[in-house]
């Protein structure tokens, strides 16, 4: 709560990731515009909520992130097999 209050998004996102609350982490990540945090947490989020992360990344302005910096995150994507 305190980290949110002082806008320490790194700690808030880290907390959610540590507790396997990946969608909550992505929600906090979307609320801020620090490209460093996108680069730091995108690999983890790509592994756990890839569809939502990619839709967020596609909506971001080119001024916020450098797409080349996200290549390591994109390489962590592993599609799940479709079940019938």
């Amino acid at each position: 709560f305190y980290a949110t209050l002082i806008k320490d998004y790194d700690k808030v996102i880290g907390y959610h990731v540590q507790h396997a609350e990946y969608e909550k982490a992505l929600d906090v990540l979307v609320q801020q515009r620090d490209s460093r945090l996108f680069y730091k947490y995108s690999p983890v989020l790509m592994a756990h909520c890839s569809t939502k992360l990619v839709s967020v990344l596609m909506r971001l302005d080119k001024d916020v992130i450098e797409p080349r910096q996200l290549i390591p995150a994109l390489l962590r994507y592993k599609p799940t097999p479709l079940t019938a």
Side-chain angles (χ1 to χ4, degrees):
F1 175 77
Y2 180 70
T4 304
L5 203 62
I6 63 169
K7 299 181 181 184
D8 187 355
Y9 296 116
D10 191 13
K11 289 221 187 298
V12 175
I13 297 168
Y15 172 84
H16 288 305
V17 167
Q18 185 178 14
H19 289 91
E21 299 171 344
Y22 303 108
E23 292 193 17
K24 287 183 182 180
L26 183 58
D27 291 340
V28 175
L29 187 61
V30 169
Q31 294 175 4
Q32 56 82 44
R33 295 291 182 197
D34 185 357
S35 60
R36 182 183 56 86
L37 295 179
F38 276 96
Y39 304 141
K40 181 176 181 179
Y41 291 105
S42 286
V44 173
L45 297 176
M46 181 60 76
H48 296 283
C49 56
S50 57
T51 305
K52 289 186 177 187
L53 177 64
V54 170
S55 67
V56 166
L57 293 174
M58 288 174 50
R59 286 181 286 167
L60 286 175
D61 294 332
K62 302 291 188 257
D63 300 336
V64 176
I65 58 169
E66 173 64 40
R68 289 183 187 167
Q69 297 276 344
L70 293 171
I71 291 173
L74 297 174
L75 291 175
R76 298 218 36 199
Y77 175 68
K78 292 182 183 172
T80 56
L82 297 176
T83 56

